[in-house]
Amino acid sequence: MSRPTPLRGVHETLGATLTDFAGWLMPLRYGSESIEHNAVRQAAGLFDLSHMGEIFVTGAQAGEALDHALVGYISAVETGRARYTMIVDAEGHVLDDLIVYRLAPDEFMVVANASNYPRVAAELTDRASSFDATVDDRSEQYALIAVQGPRAQAILGELTDADLDGLKYYAGLPATVAGREALVARTGYTGEDGFELFVAAGDAEPLWAALTKAGEPYGLIPAGLSARDTLRLEAGMPLYGNELSAEHTPFDAGLGRVVRFDKPGDFVGRAALEPLKDVPPARRLVGLIATGRRVPRHGYPVVVAGDGSVVGEVTSGAPSQSLGRPIAMAYVDNGLSTGLAVDIRGSHEAVDVVELPFYRRKK
């Protein structure tokens, strides 16, 4: 049975279409996913992300423990800042992609994907066992609400005195929002500016209501998983289970930059990853734009247009509201960039290979 988030009642009242996602009962859409998508691009959208995991690592050697456990140089992150990173197995394959916040010199919060956070918590506990550090999975205690879009700051500014102007990208600060204590972060998964609010689970409903009211004059509407997926796809952001998996290394996904070989000490996966840093992967992650109207979907083969030989596979695909054409991400044999098509139920539909992302917001 799917687990509800603390906002289930709100979603049901709003008439959301609910679906299972990674074992959670989540809003797929509230009405039209294209309207929700465009609202985030033009005004703002309100998201329930309470299915994400929050794992705390504390202690005198918390930073060193995370340096060992993850591929990033986490001990070098300044207090109040965040870092995108990954946890890999001994063979260098991705177990999850993460955002780590340094809340204090000896306190970090690791945010993991919904389907993976129990395993991430277990791996961190094991990997930190030889350090003066404690791992505590507090996911059940938290709700996570995101406000994304060009008007997000104006909306959140109605409810807090926090210095939002001074809050940098990939940073977080403790604040009071609508009378509720929150960690306000500025990362995002849509390609737009926006904020994530980590709050006690019991504060989720009143905070959602306050944001909804404050956002009405700005065009804020609730947005579901469908819009979140098309927004992150346009922004070229990977999704675990699609672009990232236990079959891929960070280098396969073009994210080798997150692997920090310059940090002190050893880390899990280093021996497997170091030989890969200067070797092009057999397949690389690219963007595809369809020349027709049919949509490439996850799992569809990428083929050579002339002879139909399979040279790749689509990882994510959807109609793009911003481009007006179907788009996809795919792993394609390295060196191929022209003359490709996607096999859509036996029909070879031509595609253009492009560099990611598909969409960049105007600054």
Side-chain angles (χ1 to χ4, degrees), residues 149-301:
R151 298 178 184 172
Q153 182 170 333
I155 295 166
L156 188 56
E158 299 281 349
L159 300 174
T160 184
D161 293 329
D163 181 15
L164 301 180
D165 281 331
L167 185 62
K168 297 177 181 179
Y169 188 53
Y170 266 74
L173 57 79
T176 301
V177 182
R180 313 282 169 166
E181 296 303 309
L183 173 68
V184 178
R186 195 173 206 161
T187 57
Y189 193 55
T190 63
E192 298 296 337
D193 190 21
F195 301 87
E196 298 77 45
L197 309 176
F198 295 87
V199 298
D203 290 338
E205 283 202 21
L207 182 57
W208 181 281
L211 287 163
T212 298
K213 183 176 181 181
E216 284 179 5
Y218 297 94
L220 175 75
I221 65 171
L225 290 178
S226 287
R228 188 168 181 253
D229 191 51
T230 55
L231 290 159
R232 69 93 192 166
L233 177 57
E234 287 186 346
M237 295 179 173
L239 174 66
Y240 193 88
N242 291 43
E243 288 72 41
L244 297 172
S245 75
E247 298 177 357
H248 298 113
T249 73
F251 293 99
D252 293 331
L255 294 169
R257 65 183 182 276
V258 308
V259 183
R260 295 290 300 272
F261 296 108
D262 60 330
K263 62 181 175 178
D266 195 13
F267 64 89
V268 178
R270 179 174 192 141
L273 291 173
E274 199 147 23
L276 303 179
K277 64 182 180 181
D278 298 317
V279 180
R283 285 184 171 178
R284 66 187 185 104
L285 189 64
V286 301
L288 304 177
I289 300 179
T291 60
R293 306 305 301 176
R294 300 186 72 185
V295 181
R297 299 288 186 185
H298 173 76
Y300 286 6

Side-chain angles (χ1 to χ4, degrees), residues 1-353:
M1 181 179 292
S2 302
R3 299 169 58 186
T5 76
L7 290 165
R8 176 180 180 174
V10 171
H11 303 319
E12 291 177 338
T13 299
L14 291 170
T17 299
L18 299 174
T19 189
D20 177 84
F21 180 79
W24 290 82
L25 189 64
M26 298 295 295
L28 185 64
R29 67 181 69 84
Y30 297 86
S32 163
E33 59 196 64
S34 61
I35 290 175
E36 295 168 20
H37 178 110
N38 290 329
V40 176
R41 288 282 180 254
Q42 299 164 12
L46 188 61
F47 295 87
D48 177 12
L49 306 180
S50 302
H51 59 314
M52 304 292 282
E54 292 84 17
I55 304 160
F56 284 71
V57 183
T58 58
Q61 291 186 303
E64 290 84 350
L66 288 169
D67 283 346
H68 171 69
L70 310 177
V71 300
Y73 194 172
I74 307 304
S75 65
V77 176
E78 297 178 4
T79 299
R81 299 306 302 270
R83 180 73 48 83
Y84 176 75
T85 188
M86 296 180 189
I87 184 168
V88 303
D89 62 18
E91 288 71 45
H93 297 124
V94 181
L95 301 179
D96 202 11
D97 61 333
L98 314 163
I99 296 178
V100 181
Y101 296 88
R102 190 168 201 162
L103 306 180
D106 59 355
E107 182 180 23
F108 297 80
M109 181 175 69
V110 179
V111 180
N113 285 297
S115 60
N116 296 332
Y117 75 76
R119 181 176 185 182
V120 172
E123 289 286 347
L124 289 178
T125 300
D126 179 63
R127 298 179 188 191
S129 60
S130 60
F131 295 85
D132 181 9
T134 301
V135 178
D136 184 15
D137 183 358
R138 303 180 193 172
S139 304
E140 301 291 336
Q141 302 173 30
Y142 279 86
L144 176 56
I145 298 171
V147 187
Q148 295 282 304
R151 298 178 184 172
Q153 182 170 333
I155 295 166
L156 188 56
E158 299 281 349
L159 300 174
T160 184
D161 293 329
D163 181 15
L164 301 180
D165 281 331
L167 185 62
K168 297 177 181 179
Y169 188 53
Y170 266 74
L173 57 79
T176 301
V177 182
R180 313 282 169 166
E181 296 303 309
L183 173 68
V184 178
R186 195 173 206 161
T187 57
Y189 193 55
T190 63
E192 298 296 337
D193 190 21
F195 301 87
E196 298 77 45
L197 309 176
F198 295 87
V199 298
D203 290 338
E205 283 202 21
L207 182 57
W208 181 281
L211 287 163
T212 298
K213 183 176 181 181
E216 284 179 5
Y218 297 94
L220 175 75
I221 65 171
L225 290 178
S226 287
R228 188 168 181 253
D229 191 51
T230 55
L231 290 159
R232 69 93 192 166
L233 177 57
E234 287 186 346
M237 295 179 173
L239 174 66
Y240 193 88
N242 291 43
E243 288 72 41
L244 297 172
S245 75
E247 298 177 357
H248 298 113
T249 73
F251 293 99
D252 293 331
L255 294 169
R257 65 183 182 276
V258 308
V259 183
R260 295 290 300 272
F261 296 108
D262 60 330
K263 62 181 175 178
D266 195 13
F267 64 89
V268 178
R270 179 174 192 141
L273 291 173
E274 199 147 23
L276 303 179
K277 64 182 180 181
D278 298 317
V279 180
R283 285 184 171 178
R284 66 187 185 104
L285 189 64
V286 301
L288 304 177
I289 300 179
T291 60
R293 306 305 301 176
R294 300 186 72 185
V295 181
R297 299 288 186 185
H298 173 76
Y300 286 6
V302 179
V303 300
V304 175
D307 60 20
S309 57
V310 176
V311 293
E313 184 175 313
V314 174
T315 55
S316 298
S320 169
Q321 299 296 321
S322 301
L323 277 65
R325 293 166 65 184
I327 60 173
M329 286 195 280
Y331 279 105
V332 173
D333 288 356
N334 220 330
L336 298 180
S337 58
T338 59
L340 300 182
V342 174
D343 185 339
I344 302 180
R345 299 176 183 175
S347 176
H348 292 180
E349 304 291 334
V351 292
D352 295 323
V353 178

